Amino acid sequence: MTFRPHLVLATCLATTLATANYAQSLGTVTLIVADQERTIPVWAEQSDWSGSESWPSINIYARDFSDNGEEPALISLSFEASGWQPSVPEMDMVLYENRKPVGTLFAREEEERGGLTVIVDSHAFDGTSLSLTGSFEAMLGPSDNYGNDIDLSQGVSVTGTFDVVLETLE
């Protein structure tokens, strides 16, 4: 029968059409933690923006699980940008040892929670895509309650930059 080849062809065609116009976020985040610099690729499926062009909500996730001798890296940086003035920033960084997660460090906007500051250097829209560059600085520390209370006595300083193209949240 010719039914099976048509089914396979229809499935391949549907998959091609569904992914042909699917744009993904891209770019890098460069971190300097404890005097060590590392550039991490954006996690395309998790990074995005939402809201309006004058008041976007930005979510940048970056991860690197390559087998190049370095420990894995996983960070998230998010903030609002009303009038392109970043506010309510949040940053999380997962720590790894022997390729296994051993903890998470957090930073928030308030000084007692890490004093996370974000600066947007440039932004541009192209359809649903947002090109964005900027920098950030904070003191990251552990927390028993997902960043509500951050122990900065065990903190580590972090600075970094981002150069990303984000797709709108669908």
Side-chain angles (χ1 to χ4, degrees):
M1 294 246 164
T2 61
F3 195 57
R4 176 168 276 174
H6 290 292
L7 181 61
V8 171
L9 180 61
T11 302
C12 290
L13 182 59
T15 302
T16 301
L17 292 174
T19 59
N21 291 324
Y22 180 69
Q24 290 191 337
S25 300
L26 55 97
T28 58
V29 175
T30 300
L31 296 173
I32 301 173
V33 180
D35 296 325
Q36 294 200 358
E37 182 174 314
R38 183 156 180 195
T39 299
I40 306 169
V42 163
W43 186 358
E45 297 83 7
Q46 295 297 316
S47 300
D48 56 48
W49 74 275
S50 61
S52 68
E53 290 186 11
S54 62
W55 193 335
S57 178
I58 310 297
N59 297 297
I60 302 170
Y61 287 81
R63 70 176 182 169
D64 184 2
F65 286 86
S66 60
D67 197 16
N68 60 3
E70 292 183 302
E71 289 290 346
L74 175 59
I75 65 148
S76 67
L77 175 67
S78 61
F79 56 94
E80 302 290 320
S82 174
W84 291 101
Q85 298 301 311
S87 63
V88 294
E90 296 185 353
M91 184 175 186
D92 303 351
M93 181 172 74
V94 178
L95 301 175
Y96 289 85
E97 215 172 87
N98 298 318
R99 303 194 64 79
K100 294 184 179 2
V102 295
T104 304
L105 299 179
F106 301 86
R108 303 296 185 253
E109 183 173 35
E110 301 83 8
E111 204 59 41
E112 66 275 8
R113 295 172 71 204
L116 176 59
T117 58
V118 175
I119 297 170
V120 173
D121 295 326
S122 69
H123 69 278
F125 289 94
D126 182 8
T128 61
S129 298
L130 168 61
S131 298
L132 192 64
T133 63
S135 60
F136 54 90
E137 182 176 0
M139 180 68 71
L140 293 166
S143 174
D144 292 331
N145 52 16
Y146 302 100
N148 287 327
D149 300 302
I150 299 171
D151 182 0
L152 296 179
S153 70
Q154 301 177 47
V156 59
S157 177
V158 61
T159 60
T161 60
F162 50 89
D163 185 353
V164 298
V165 177
L166 304 175
E167 292 302 316
T168 188
L169 179 64
E170 295 180 7

